[in-house]
Amino acid sequence: MDSVLFTNIRPHDLLVVDGRIADPSTRPEDAVIVDGGGALALPAPVDAHIHPDKTTWGHAWLSRTPASTLRDLIEGEVKARAGMTASVAERAGALMDSAVARGTRAWRAHVDVAPEYGLANVHGVREAAEARRHLLDVQIVAFPQLGLLTSPGTAELMERSLGEGADVIGGLDPLGIDGDLHGHLDVLFGLAERTGAPLDIHLHDGGEQGLAQVREIARRAAGTRVTISHAFCLAEARELDDLLAESNVALTTCALGADPVLPVGPLTAAGVLLAAGSDGVRDPWTPFGDGDMIARAHLLAYRTDARTDEELAACYAVAAHGGAELLGLERVDLKAGDPADFVLVPAASLAEAVVDRPAPLLVVRGGAVIAREGRLLERSPR
């Protein structure tokens, strides 16, 4: 058995045996000792919504053009991507390495599928993920960024993608982009029924138009694993919380710029599964983002005006436990039997860590130290 004892950490020492946290009273005599330097152990966070095929991470600066609508952003992205010289695998892989070094345990990666791209983006992100499978779990969402019904051939490509690297079927603003709520959802839920794949639907539409789409998605969700990403219309509206909980529709929020942010307390109190993500990271849509989910928990806390220790801890729970549940990963509570996927951060408490957003001193995956002070110890093949 491989055994490692992490000592001098808070709230208590952690013994890891064969990749899982074990009862410290069973410590083998030959256990390797790792001194945590008084750091705080936290469950490794999960990025439940990221677009790695668009990123320019690690490559030349991209100057962005003004955009006032969602369509402007989409069209600007198509033009910008045409000028990118580095491959999807190179760019996504560089961002994966950085995210892992900052403690991220897993990704749900939304990857563009369209006749203009074919499945090249899916193949590129899967290539990067396979090279780092010992460092990061990656789910790929086949995402119809250019439209589902308005871009003929996209639905067929999305279904094909499930055999070529994708795991989840994505959707995008059935009304705002495709202008056909029932037609869009007929395609998505039909794909889910045929393939058994989960759905993850971007919903930027606000107001009553957005709420109507949420109601219809929830109505159709029985027996299908469904996530609504962003769901800006729900930032202030609480009347659908119970419906979402009853239909097991999960939500993701990214705490971006001026965009509405989903309220942590009311949604989780209602029993709605809520996860968090980075969304775009230094891509044609935004110059911001870094893939650091400890920093994202900080942004979520800041945007939702978290003040008490409990409110701050709840924001980290969204990033760690909410993300793990959404992706179907085992929960890490730092208890015997849990996967040994955790970070050690220089903080006296979880609340302080959320506010200070420190880089992890150590990142541990399956009991092995894979990063130290924000740097990977084992570089992935390129």
Side-chain angles (χ1 to χ4, degrees):
M1 293 188 298
D2 294 325
S3 57
V4 183
L5 181 63
F6 292 84
T7 64
N8 191 21
I9 62 175
R10 287 176 278 189
H12 52 73
D13 292 354
L14 291 173
L15 174 66
V16 176
V17 177
D18 289 341
R20 291 187 173 271
I21 296 172
D23 183 342
S25 67
T26 63
R27 170 185 169 184
E29 293 183 0
D30 61 348
V32 174
I33 307 297
V34 175
D35 188 336
L40 175 70
L42 299 177
V46 171
D47 195 326
H49 188 107
I50 191 168
H51 291 268
D53 59 316
K54 307 176 192 293
T55 190
T56 62
W57 190 264
H59 295 275
W61 178 257
L62 175 67
S63 296
R64 291 145 190 92
T65 56
S68 57
T69 68
L70 183 59
R71 273 293 181 195
D72 290 342
L73 287 164
I74 292 171
E75 290 170 5
E77 178 202 326
V78 172
K79 293 177 183 177
R81 287 174 72 128
M84 293 182 185
T85 56
S87 71
V88 170
E90 289 174 319
R91 292 182 285 104
L95 185 55
M96 288 177 188
D97 287 344
S98 180
V100 169
R102 289 298 184 120
T104 298
R105 173 188 182 194
W107 272 5
R108 175 171 279 188
H110 293 258
V111 178
D112 288 7
V113 170
E116 287 88 337
Y117 307 133
L119 298 181
N121 297 322
V122 171
H123 295 159
V125 174
R126 182 52 66 194
E127 177 187 340
E130 285 300 307
R132 296 159 178 82
R133 62 189 307 172
H134 57 302
L135 302 174
L136 183 74
D137 293 307
V138 178
Q139 280 186 0
I140 292 179
V141 182
F143 176 51
Q145 177 72 89
L146 305 186
L148 179 60
L149 305 181
T150 55
S151 183
T154 298
E156 292 78 9
L157 282 169
M158 288 167 61
E159 185 162 9
R160 207 179 95 204
S161 75
L162 295 173
E164 299 189 28
D167 309 285
V168 181
I169 293 293
L172 172 64
D173 293 309
L175 285 175
I177 293 295
D178 272 347
D180 185 347
L181 172 58
H182 295 287
H184 188 104
L185 295 182
D186 285 347
V187 172
L188 293 186
F189 282 91
L191 283 169
E193 184 176 356
R194 287 197 302 277
T195 66
L199 299 177
D200 194 323
I201 305 169
H202 281 59
L203 184 60
H204 306 92
D205 293 340
E208 184 52 41
Q209 178 170 286
L211 294 175
Q213 293 172 84
V214 172
R215 291 188 189 96
E216 182 60 18
I217 292 168
R219 187 187 71 79
R220 293 176 179 237
T224 303
R225 292 165 290 166
V226 181
T227 303
I228 302 176
S229 288
H230 302 311
F232 297 149
C233 61
L234 296 174
E236 302 293 338
R238 300 276 60 78
E239 65 265 27
L240 299 185
D241 292 358
D242 291 341
L243 174 63
L244 291 166
E246 291 164 6
S247 58
N248 292 316
V249 172
L251 303 174
T252 62
T253 191
C254 297
L256 297 172
D259 290 337
V261 180
L262 298 180
V264 174
L267 286 168
T268 55
V272 179
L273 173 58
L274 179 62
S278 296
D279 202 41
V281 176
R282 203 164 298 183
D283 62 16
W285 293 53
T286 176
F288 294 102
D290 57 11
D292 183 336
M293 286 306 295
I294 298 175
R296 187 62 49 170
H298 168 96
L299 283 175
L300 180 60
Y302 181 81
R303 290 293 311 278
T304 57
D305 197 27
R307 295 168 183 261
T308 68
D309 287 5
E310 292 75 15
E311 290 169 337
L312 293 164
C315 291
Y316 192 82
V318 168
H321 303 315
E325 185 174 350
L326 184 70
L327 271 65
L329 302 174
E330 291 185 78
R331 183 180 171 112
V332 177
D333 282 312
L334 304 177
K335 296 179 180 178
D338 290 351
D341 297 337
F342 57 89
V343 296
L344 298 181
V345 297
S349 68
L350 174 52
E352 183 179 71
V354 170
V355 170
D356 286 350
R357 58 194 188 282
L361 300 176
L362 297 179
V363 178
V364 180
R365 181 178 172 91
V369 176
I370 60 172
R372 187 183 298 272
E373 296 182 348
R375 295 182 178 274
L376 280 180
L377 298 182
E378 179 183 353
R379 279 286 169 189
S380 303
R382 298 292 180 93

